[in-house]
Amino acid sequence: MKLLSYMHEGQAGWGVLDDRGQVMDGMALTDGKYPSLKSLLAAGDATQALRRAGSGGPRISMEGLHLLPVIPDPGKILCVGLNYEDHRRETNRAPTGEPTLFLRVASSQIGHGQAIVVPRASRQVDYEGEIAIVIGRSGRHIPPARAWDHIAGYAPYNDVSVRDWQQHTTQWTPGKNFDSTGAFGPWMTTRDEIADGAELSLTTRLNGQVMQHATTAQLIFDIPRLVHYASSFTTLEPGDVIVTGTPGGVGFKRNPPVFLSAGDVVEVEIAGVSCLSNTVRDEEPTAPA
């Protein structure tokens, strides 16, 4: 099942993408019980209820939708740094015994088809294609062997980084949270469509050229380990997002460096899941306060 969030005729909604590329209104399918995709996940067995609802209900053309981040309002976005060996090496970072985590705020996110914004404060804006997992069941101290039971599904994520701001200090927060930089979508493919532990393939393209390619077999800390580690210090809740890390090939480590500029198109594709595509534009001037 493919689940997505959107704006339609000025109203926020969510839905199920059918085999013909049409979107079934999730509110209609559930008799208005769940106002958001996050609330659906929190209901536990709601995805099974959706399947039982079948193919009835109104449909909306994808062309008529403004897609939002898959989960527009996650309680937590936990991002993993340096989680592919080739990326760790290209950044000259020492190995660590535990995952490197940082937080991204929900307000920095955009959906599929929306523009990544190059801010006036920097020209060093870099792509980072990643695999995001969406939590579907709450838990604390989750054993790695039970981690899959807490995953609702998977989606592409572009953890766009403003490199000079990221490196102002040892803390990465500013460079990872500029407005309109965290691209997430277009939809989430639910866990039941992908075998637990299956090797997922990730590809990032810039203007059609492959810049990154890797599989989850190359992760330093695999998905069960990430879920276990994160849940050891915080309760994971439905709708929380774990962004699992980017492979080698990022722009700022190329010679010469490659940074995003207005007019570029960046695609992040997880084979068998979905392909996220975003254009790039410059930040618009604003009047002085």
Side-chain angles (χ1 to χ4, degrees), residues 171-243:
Q171 303 301 310
W172 298 350
T173 298
K176 292 290 189 174
N177 282 286
F178 272 76
D179 290 348
S180 301
T181 56
F184 185 20
W187 53 75
M188 174 184 80
T189 296
T190 53
R191 173 195 167 206
D192 59 328
E193 295 196 6
I194 299 170
D196 294 344
E199 186 174 340
L200 299 177
S201 176
L202 172 69
T203 303
T204 306
R205 292 182 290 270
L206 176 59
N207 300 324
Q209 180 180 348
V210 173
M211 308 299 280
Q212 297 177 291
H213 180 74
T215 75
T216 49
Q218 297 166 263
L219 288 171
I220 297 172
F221 302 104
D222 63 15
I223 289 172
R225 177 72 180 280
L226 296 176
V227 171
H228 168 68
Y229 184 78
S231 70
S232 297
F233 70 87
T234 187
T235 300
L236 295 178
E237 302 284 1
D240 286 351
V241 180
I242 300 177
V243 188

Side-chain angles (χ1 to χ4, degrees), residues 3 26 30 37 42 74 78 83 88 109 113 128 149 163 186 194 198 269 287:
L3 304 175
T30 60
L37 185 48
L78 299 170
N83 200 26
R88 184 193 68 78
Q109 296 192 127
E128 286 195 25
D149 297 336
R163 293 298 186 191
I194 299 170
E269 183 172 8

Side-chain angles (χ1 to χ4, degrees), residues 3-19:
L3 304 175
L4 64 161
S5 299
Y6 56 78
M7 294 291 296
H8 181 241
E9 297 181 346
Q11 298 294 317
W14 63 275
V16 182
L17 184 67
D18 69 14
D19 293 337

Side-chain angles (χ1 to χ4, degrees), residues 1 3 39 54 80 92 107 114 147 184 186 282:
M1 185 179 297
L3 304 175
S39 66
V80 187
N92 297 314
S107 61
Q114 306 309 305
F184 185 20
D282 289 332

